[in-house]
Amino acid sequence: MKPIDVLVVGAGPAGLATAIRVRERLSAEGREATVVVIDKAFGPGYHNLSGAAFEAACLEELLPGWRTDRSILTDNVYPVKRDEMYFLLGGAAIKIPHFVVPKRMHHKSDVTISLSRLVQFMAQRAEKRGVEIYHGYSARSLIVEDGAVKGVKLADVGLDKAGEKKSNYRPGEEIRAKVTILADGTHGVLSQQFGELFGRGRNPQVYSIGIKAVVQFPGENPFGSGRVVHTLGSPAPSSVFGGGFMYSLGEKTAAVGLILGLDWKYGDLNPQREFERYRAHPFIEKLLKGSVTLATGAKTIPEGGFFSLGALTASGAIVVGDGAGFVNMEKIKGIHYAIGSGICAAETVGDAFAAADFGAAALAPYRDRLEKRGIMRELEHARNYRQSFHHGLYFGTPLSLIQSKLPMKLKTHPDATGTKPGKRLGRKDPGRMDQATFVSLTGSLHREDEPSHVTILDPAKCVECEARFSNSCIHFCPGQVYRWSGESASVVLSPSNCLHCMTCTVKCPYTNIQWVAPEGGEGPRFKAM
């Protein structure tokens, strides 16, 4: 197969921004170059989830005039008019005065959007510019030769559960390219391989899990429009980093979600159940009165920030977006960094084509461009923000206000080490939406007769985990992929439930779970998340 020119792995905002800008530049320079995007999801936006309060200036830069161009996105963009923060304590809600909230956490100049629909819009605009986008292609590994990235190898398709070839078997192809852009998202398989090969950050990357629902109000909408609400406190224990949110998405629709730091110490903490407790809080329940849940989803969020950034370039490759760790938890934002990093990558690739050089030195100016755009400056300002909360909310909140002035680097610790032996919340099921219903509303689908893309590396460790950590995987997985069987004293897998949130890859106390990309086109089908 003839090598293509630019290969982008991942059709999220970072990957599509790269493809759009590099296609425009190469076309303007009269270069007959191929720009190809592959993505493991079944369709555009199906694996993309965020809140999302969005700083839209980057989109105007990428696609000027997008607001006046009728599309799936322009009908789903809502300016923020009311921006509020509350502290939930027991059944009470205490409003935090706006002047007390740090300016970087203000949202009045933002818009609220569905990330899935943003990606659908960007995919349409990319294809109009001549970008080739192929959905349902799962990349399993990087092709690295003589220290240079040469492309990717796709997953095999057409295997049965035992790994035997079926009549429709097709071996995973190699896709080779002059330059490969890794835009595979939070804890992406390829961006993780890239970090192992070319260098990780000074701090380990750490994550939160975000649980989200989109709700509709058939009658009166008590939440209102143009409104953004963030909350701290209940139901999360004070030792757990995180908070909740509600964003209006028009006159009759809203997004509601809960973010929890995966370094929690409790073996039996179940984030989906905590989300239902959040929705049951009197303050939130009042805002949701009369609503119907339309869709649900879950995703991890890379939060380590500046000190957790690893290598961003190597010969033949650049990492962009969440895969690189471009999320600022001081602002609770990352989408505009994803698009901005994609623009920087495209400009770097354009220069590389002009020089006919795709080596490490030719791609190194990518970081300089990130500096000039202010992405690195903002991440550096928040460099100790997430670490401030290592000892809980009450110690972390005042520390977070001065974290940028601290002369030292605060450490992060792998989320897997956060779980402590014997620590249990002991909470009962809140009796609201169960996990089976939650999974069904994500639209997640996998072929039942295929090898499991989730593997327990050493089953014996699960027996030990049952005694020490309450078999934490059966609790922390929002998709109920893991179930403990007392009869066989083992963890039973249901990989068809998987939401591709990547929680299991970072939270297992024994790092005993291996996750690989399944056949292409599988997983959740987020259409409005």
Side-chain angles (χ1 to χ4, degrees), residues 264-447:
W264 66 62
K265 61 186 175 182
Y266 305 102
D268 64 339
L269 193 153
N270 183 315
Q272 187 268 332
R273 288 183 180 173
E274 293 304 297
F275 174 61
E276 293 306 323
R277 284 190 176 83
Y278 180 69
R279 293 209 282 183
H281 187 280
F283 175 70
I284 302 300
E285 190 169 47
K286 183 178 179 181
L287 297 178
L288 290 171
K289 186 176 180 181
S291 67
V292 176
T293 302
L294 300 180
T296 57
K299 203 75 172 176
T300 51
I301 306 165
E303 296 182 346
F306 184 77
F307 291 129
S308 295
L309 299 179
L312 301 175
T313 59
S315 181
I318 297 176
V319 191
V320 296
D322 279 8
F326 294 143
V327 172
N328 183 343
M329 287 310 292
E330 188 177 30
K331 301 178 77 170
I332 328 175
K333 289 177 182 170
I335 299 172
H336 67 292
Y337 296 134
I339 293 174
S341 65
I343 292 172
C344 291
E347 292 169 346
T348 304
V349 170
D351 286 353
F353 270 94
D357 182 0
F358 304 95
L363 300 181
Y366 171 58
R367 190 178 184 103
D368 296 332
R369 287 186 164 95
L370 294 169
E371 295 275 4
K372 289 177 182 177
R373 286 192 70 88
I375 292 175
M376 286 300 188
R377 182 177 65 252
E378 290 196 8
L379 291 177
E380 188 171 13
H381 184 275
R383 60 191 176 274
N384 285 315
Y385 186 83
R386 177 62 179 86
Q387 301 94 296
S388 300
F389 292 90
H390 181 65
H391 295 291
L393 176 67
Y394 298 116
F395 179 79
T397 299
L399 182 60
S400 71
L401 299 177
I402 61 168
Q403 57 81 28
S404 64
K405 296 179 173 59
L406 297 177
M408 76 287 285
K409 169 179 70 71
L410 299 183
K411 294 181 180 180
T412 60
H413 308 272
D415 293 314
T417 66
T419 314
K420 302 303 179 186
K423 287 290 183 181
R424 292 178 56 87
L425 270 177
R427 286 179 167 170
K428 295 180 180 179
D429 189 324
R432 296 172 67 89
M433 179 181 287
D434 58 40
Q435 284 189 270
T437 304
F438 181 87
V439 172
S440 71
L441 289 174
T442 69
S444 191
L445 292 171
H446 295 80
R447 182 166 65 85

Side-chain angles (χ1 to χ4, degrees), residues 42-49 72 76 114-120 212 214 294-296 441-443 445 524-529:
F42 182 76
Y46 281 17
H47 286 183
N48 300 103
L49 178 152
I72 190 173
N76 292 278
S114 155
L115 181 59
S116 302
R117 287 180 174 150
L118 171 63
V119 168
Q120 292 164 30
K212 178 184 173 182
V214 174
L294 300 180
T296 57
L441 289 174
T442 69
L445 292 171
R525 298 191 175 189
F526 303 140
K527 298 178 183 178
M529 300 298 282

Side-chain angles (χ1 to χ4, degrees), residues 513-527:
I513 297 172
Q514 182 182 64
W515 194 100
V516 298
E519 288 188 4
E522 301 188 331
R525 298 191 175 189
F526 303 140
K527 298 178 183 178

Side-chain angles (χ1 to χ4, degrees), residues 138-183:
S138 285
R140 277 278 176 95
S141 59
L142 294 172
I143 300 171
V144 181
E145 297 172 355
D146 299 323
V149 176
K150 299 294 185 179
V152 303
K153 189 175 187 303
L154 302 181
D156 295 346
V157 297
L159 297 173
D160 65 18
K161 277 192 174 183
E164 299 295 326
K165 298 176 183 177
K166 300 176 68 174
S167 59
N168 65 336
Y169 170 75
R170 188 173 74 250
E173 295 180 64
E174 287 189 350
I175 304 180
R176 291 178 174 262
K178 292 178 182 176
V179 62
T180 302
I181 309 300
L182 302 180

Side-chain angles (χ1 to χ4, degrees), residues 201-223:
R202 286 175 280 174
N203 270 345
Q205 186 60 269
V206 293
Y207 299 83
S208 277
I209 181 171
I211 308 287
K212 178 184 173 182
V214 174
V215 301
Q216 188 174 66
F217 298 91
E220 181 183 352
N221 177 358
F223 184 64

